[in-house]
Amino acid sequence: MVIDADDAIANSLAAIGRARTAWENRPRAVSPEAAYEEFLTYLRRNVPFYRGLAPGAEPPLVGRAEHQTDGDRFRPHGAPPPAHWLSSSGTTGAPLRATLDEAAWYAVNYHFFAQIRELAGLPAAAFRRAEPAVLFVSNKPGRPSFVRPLPSLNDGLYLRLQLPAAAQATRALFEKFRAPVLYGKPTYLLDLRTALLDQGLERAPWSPRVLLVSGEPLHPDDRERLTDYFGAPVVDALASTEGGLIAATPPDEAEYRVLAENVRLEVLDASGRTAPSGQGELVLTNLVNRSTAFARYRTGDHAGLRTAPDGTQRLTRLRGREPETVDFRSRTLSADEVTRAIGFLPHLADFRFTAGERERTLLLWSAEITCTDPVALARSLRHAVTDLLPDEDVELRRCDRITPPGGKKRRFAL
């Protein structure tokens, strides 16, 4: 998730200062459980949707549909006009607009990076006033470039490198803005990699301290492409319009640490029961934003959650909206098995299985820009697919790219 200001005023130094003060003066609690109980008390007193909630009762589960059809009832009664508005991207459904108070605005735009710095183990001295701190890469069409101060990173600069641009211009800008944190969706950073490869750079001309990815699943083959090319470890973050920064991994670790000062998580299993630990759909309560209340909100993302006796939480596995198993026409395979067999083929850039015509499964694939023999790659793909699905006649179709600019990667659409 990347938060863009609606106008320059929202990111003026005075506005940032007001938001930072609101963040520092927000309600605090001695434990995650106490923070949750204090938030429920706030909901019962101030938010119309929860006015009838009895003391001790859990709020009902809600989702995007309830917020889209009855959004005003999730905002505090009699509150001043909202300080900020934020819209989801809509890549996994209809966009959702939410209001944010000053504390929540600071959390998603600025404190976000302080939390990432801490998780990544980066020293404060790695960031210097008026020097690049975070370089965000985007391929979403129509978005402006920006430069923004980050008070949470010693007043270092947050910059956007907008793709697509001429590969030569991309190379020049990337070589100029050497930030400790290189940030974007995995597909955005892979597009940057492609642009630099197109300029003859077999390796990135400089390495950040950490690659920060968020906004779509990070597949293991894409992780390898990114770490090999940019020479930096990965911090994988889960963030959203509804929850802000929810969880993130320390560099190259598998488990995600849940940000207890931001959210409280539960899982909803296939039987419809919620629990603090287990496998299922993530249900979040945003403890920061009191302008639009997201309490026990169904995210649509699936994960394994573990809650310790002291209330700290970890995501043991994050699938997002990708399936754990894939139902082909002739057999069911784990998504991991398919990725291991296909995703790491030399010179392959991307792939997607989807329903084809004439009752044939279709495999879309694209080659790296450096691939000199796509025919040989197609043969390797055919052998790998035949080994996986010996009883199916899978159609292979080469594409220039699979995930559209600004879109969200989906490997399995059967």
Side-chain angles (χ1 to χ4, degrees):
M1 178 189 67
V2 175
I3 310 302
D4 289 338
D6 292 332
D7 52 53
I9 296 174
N11 288 297
S12 69
L13 293 177
I16 294 170
R18 288 193 300 269
R20 184 176 190 175
T21 298
W23 168 258
E24 292 172 346
N25 293 335
R26 74 195 187 283
R28 306 289 184 101
V30 296
S31 69
E33 194 58 38
Y36 180 64
E37 291 301 325
E38 188 277 332
F39 186 65
L40 294 188
T41 300
Y42 168 82
L43 296 182
R44 295 186 188 100
R45 291 176 178 171
N46 300 286
V47 180
F49 186 85
Y50 300 101
R51 282 284 177 82
L53 185 66
E58 290 277 24
L61 296 178
V62 297
R64 180 172 290 198
E66 288 87 347
H67 275 264
Q68 287 176 324
T69 59
D70 210 6
D72 286 342
R73 295 193 67 221
F74 292 94
R75 299 183 186 113
H77 178 72
H84 307 280
W85 287 87
L86 179 65
S87 293
S88 64
S89 64
T91 55
T92 57
L96 175 66
R97 290 198 83 198
T99 60
L100 292 87
D101 55 28
E102 293 284 11
W105 182 254
Y106 187 82
V108 298
N109 279 283
Y110 304 103
H111 190 62
F112 177 104
F113 294 108
Q115 292 176 308
I116 293 298
R117 182 193 68 77
E118 184 176 349
L119 277 167
L122 299 179
F127 303 93
R128 297 181 177 87
R129 181 180 177 84
E131 294 185 9
V134 177
L135 179 60
F136 172 63
V137 178
S138 174
N139 69 13
K140 185 173 288 190
R143 294 300 178 96
S145 297
F146 60 68
V147 178
R148 180 183 304 169
L150 290 175
S152 55
L153 296 181
N154 290 341
D155 289 323
L157 300 180
Y158 181 26
L159 308 105
R160 179 196 288 269
L161 175 56
Q162 183 64 31
L163 304 173
Q168 186 174 358
T170 297
R171 173 178 176 172
L173 290 170
F174 181 74
E175 290 186 333
K176 179 178 181 180
F177 299 124
R178 303 191 175 207
V181 178
L182 181 60
Y183 177 30
K185 281 184 182 180
T187 49
Y188 296 174
L189 298 186
L190 288 167
D191 277 1
L192 172 61
R193 173 180 175 272
T194 296
L196 297 176
L197 285 169
D198 190 39
Q199 287 291 292
L201 297 173
E202 295 183 2
R203 291 286 184 272
W206 59 272
S207 293
R209 299 284 290 268
V210 70
L211 298 170
L212 172 59
V213 298
S214 184
E216 67 184 5
L218 176 62
H219 298 283
D221 52 323
D222 287 339
R223 176 191 286 269
E224 184 173 281
R225 292 182 184 95
L226 291 174
T227 55
D228 284 355
Y229 188 78
F230 290 103
V234 169
V235 169
D236 187 11
L238 173 63
S240 70
T241 297
E242 301 91 334
L245 179 57
I246 298 167
T249 66
D252 282 343
E253 290 190 14
E255 287 197 347
Y256 297 72
R257 299 182 188 177
V258 177
L259 280 301
E261 66 178 326
N262 298 358
V263 298
R264 177 184 185 267
L265 297 181
E266 305 167 77
V267 284
L268 178 67
D269 66 20
S271 69
R273 287 177 290 197
T274 58
S277 297
Q279 303 281 332
E281 181 184 357
L282 288 177
V283 176
L284 79 81
T285 297
N286 184 333
L287 301 172
V288 175
N289 189 11
R290 304 199 174 209
S291 181
T292 296
F294 290 99
R296 306 195 78 214
Y297 179 87
R298 295 184 60 173
T299 65
D301 291 319
H302 287 74
L305 174 67
R306 184 177 67 245
T307 301
D310 65 358
T312 58
Q313 296 186 305
R314 299 285 188 273
L315 299 183
T316 57
R317 177 178 172 83
L318 177 61
R319 292 194 290 110
R321 305 192 184 196
E322 288 279 47
E324 189 165 14
T325 59
V326 186
D327 294 324
F328 292 98
R329 299 179 191 275
S330 62
R331 63 193 302 196
T332 297
L333 298 172
S334 76
D336 288 346
E337 180 181 358
V338 177
T339 296
R340 286 194 301 271
I342 294 177
F344 293 91
L345 289 175
H347 309 300
L348 181 72
D350 199 7
F351 73 91
R352 177 190 293 170
F353 278 101
T354 187
E357 301 171 355
R358 299 184 302 277
E359 296 191 359
R360 296 173 66 192
T361 299
L362 173 64
L363 173 60
L364 305 176
W365 65 277
S366 60
E368 293 273 24
I369 196 169
T370 55
C371 179
T372 59
D373 193 347
V375 175
L377 175 54
R379 284 197 300 267
S380 297
L381 267 173
R382 174 58 66 190
H383 290 314
V385 170
T386 300
D387 289 342
L388 280 174
L389 301 166
D391 299 321
E392 290 192 38
D393 180 20
V394 177
E395 178 185 356
L396 272 61
R397 184 180 302 169
R398 185 183 177 188
C399 306
D400 290 334
R401 70 175 299 133
I402 296 173
T403 302
K408 184 169 291 191
K409 178 175 289 194
R410 189 177 179 190
R411 280 277 171 88
F412 304 102
L414 294 169

